[in-house]
Amino acid sequence: MTMAIPSFTVETRTRASTLSAVAVIALLLLAFAAPLIVSRGVIQDLFFILTMLVLAQNWNLLAGYAGLISVGQQVFVGCGAYTMFGCVILFGIDPVVAILIAGVFSVALAIPTAFFTFRLYGPYFAIGTWVVAEVVRLLLARWKALGGGTGTSLPRDATRDMMGVGMMRDLFGMKASEAGDALTYWLALILVVATIGFIYGLLRSKQGLGLAAVRDNEQAARAVGVDARRMKTLVYFTTAFMTGIAGALIYVQKARISPDAAFSVTDWTAYVIFIVVIGGIGTIEGPILGVIIFFLLQNLLADYGSWYLLMLGLLGIAIMLFATRGLWGLFSDRTGIQLFPVRRVLKGGPLNLTYRGGPHG
């Protein structure tokens, strides 16, 4: 007896994503070689792009996938930066090691923060995160050991002698300052790869399905057994860890810190939201496109003073009105191209199986 049994497979990979994977590998190889072939100024620009991309991807994970609209992510940037400074200045820890410690301390800060902010919803959650960031900023401004309200600088020998700099000077003949910039650039590149890789893996997993369900309709997600609070807590702590590491790395490169700079809502939250909104919230590709556009606009319009911020705001409003899913969302809707596809597609058809019935076959 021949039976036609439907056979289906669930796929997420597309032809465009396969081709993009090859291009990404080639681009990463070129990016890792960049400090050896381009000027120090270019490396500093690339470092800015990479660190802003990490912040944008984390905010996008928090808001675009978990539905937690935060305007207080600067609290983890500042916490990570000040933790790194404290480890280096007060305890003499190598800055590279201090960067990892900064991520752990950011998670430690996120625990009491989540206890209060997760009791709030919608715009109240957003305001609550901003209030928490301001409270932490005011507390750190009173920390005299790290400069109080005026801030402080890293010891010159801390960055000159940090882990890996000496080896790079010997291998590539770089000056100490060039080696320091190259090292922080490579760390930022590794952090970008780790961040995007983690987010992509999460979204392709069962937890990713639960996260999407929570974002779209939390009550319905709870009804089918999804632990919404657990998913949101996981995302919140993960973004705190990654954002704290990014903040510490940024201020290793800057080597100077103050409460107003480290907890700047404009630099570490408003710009990040702009990047995600114009690129496309709820997509991995959106922040990548958004950070490139933001960097170009910053270089083209920065000389216009306050008009620069006004033009950024007008551009953001225009995109929200006419391309609600951002520029990448508009492009993807018209072309169907997804470089990091997470949507599951059911493919397949009837599979003919032969069954020989009876005791004698």
Side-chain angles (χ1 to χ4, degrees):
M1 181 175 66
T2 301
M3 301 175 58
I5 301 177
S7 175
F8 298 95
T9 58
V10 177
E11 296 183 4
T12 56
R13 183 175 298 178
T14 64
R15 183 178 179 183
S17 67
T18 302
L19 295 175
S20 69
V22 177
V24 166
I25 292 173
L27 184 61
L28 284 176
L29 293 175
L30 181 61
F32 271 103
L36 307 178
I37 56 180
V38 299
S39 68
R40 184 183 175 190
V42 174
I43 292 301
Q44 291 174 344
D45 288 340
L46 291 174
F47 175 83
F48 172 79
I49 291 173
L50 292 174
T51 50
M52 291 301 289
L53 178 57
V54 171
L55 299 179
Q57 289 288 3
N58 278 282
W59 191 87
N60 185 45
L61 175 62
L62 190 67
Y65 291 106
L68 297 172
I69 309 297
S70 170
V71 293
Q73 287 303 93
Q74 68 272 15
V75 69
F76 300 121
V77 175
C79 176
Y82 265 95
T83 299
M84 183 274 297
F85 266 72
C87 288
V88 173
I89 295 175
L90 302 180
F91 303 105
I93 298 175
D94 188 278
V96 176
V97 178
I99 289 171
L100 295 176
I101 297 174
V104 176
F105 267 79
S106 294
V107 175
L109 175 64
I111 294 173
T113 300
F115 178 79
F116 291 106
T117 57
F118 275 29
R119 298 171 181 269
L120 307 173
Y121 295 92
Y124 300 103
F125 175 85
I127 295 171
T129 58
W130 175 75
V131 170
V132 168
E134 285 299 295
V135 170
V136 175
R137 180 185 68 83
L138 292 173
L139 290 175
L140 286 174
R142 304 175 69 86
W143 193 0
K144 300 301 182 182
L146 292 180
T150 58
T152 187
S153 299
L154 283 176
R156 182 170 298 178
D157 57 348
T159 53
R160 185 184 59 205
D161 300 330
M162 65 181 172
M163 187 185 304
V165 169
M167 181 181 66
M168 293 171 60
R169 288 203 306 259
D170 296 337
L171 287 177
F172 306 118
M174 296 178 175
K175 298 178 181 178
S177 57
E178 293 175 343
D181 283 345
L183 178 61
T184 53
Y185 164 79
W186 276 324
L187 291 175
L189 185 58
I190 292 171
L191 185 57
V192 165
V193 173
T195 300
I196 294 178
F198 171 80
I199 293 174
Y200 191 42
L202 174 64
L203 297 179
R204 286 168 59 94
S205 67
K206 292 180 180 179
Q207 289 77 14
L209 285 173
L211 188 62
V214 170
R215 175 197 60 191
D216 294 338
N217 192 320
E218 185 172 335
Q219 298 301 322
R222 291 178 187 273
V224 296
V226 177
D227 191 338
R229 178 170 288 274
R230 179 176 175 273
M231 293 303 305
K232 288 184 176 182
T233 302
L234 170 66
V235 169
Y236 191 70
F237 287 174
T238 300
T239 57
F241 179 74
M242 293 291 190
T243 303
I245 288 180
L249 186 57
I250 289 169
Y251 279 91
V252 167
Q253 203 265 352
K254 287 179 177 292
R256 171 76 190 174
I257 196 171
S258 69
D260 290 342
F263 291 89
S264 171
V265 67
T266 301
D267 291 342
W268 313 126
T269 298
Y271 286 158
V272 168
I273 294 174
F274 175 80
I275 287 169
V276 175
V277 167
I278 65 169
I281 192 170
T283 65
I284 294 177
E285 303 91 340
I288 298 175
L289 177 61
V291 76
I292 294 172
I293 294 173
F294 173 71
F295 174 76
L296 295 175
L297 289 174
Q298 190 178 57
N299 281 271
L300 290 173
L301 305 176
D303 293 336
Y304 291 92
S306 58
W307 287 99
Y308 158 64
L309 296 175
L310 178 61
M311 285 184 278
L312 289 183
L314 291 175
L315 176 61
I317 292 172
I319 290 176
M320 285 188 287
L321 288 175
F322 300 106
T324 54
R325 295 185 60 235
L327 295 177
W328 179 262
L330 181 64
F331 172 80
S332 181
D333 288 343
R334 295 190 176 184
T335 63
I337 295 175
Q338 294 182 350
L339 303 182
F340 296 92
V342 294
R343 182 178 302 170
R344 290 150 178 85
V345 179
L346 194 64
K347 292 186 177 181
L351 175 65
N352 291 325
L353 298 178
T354 300
Y355 170 74
R356 296 179 179 179
H360 304 292

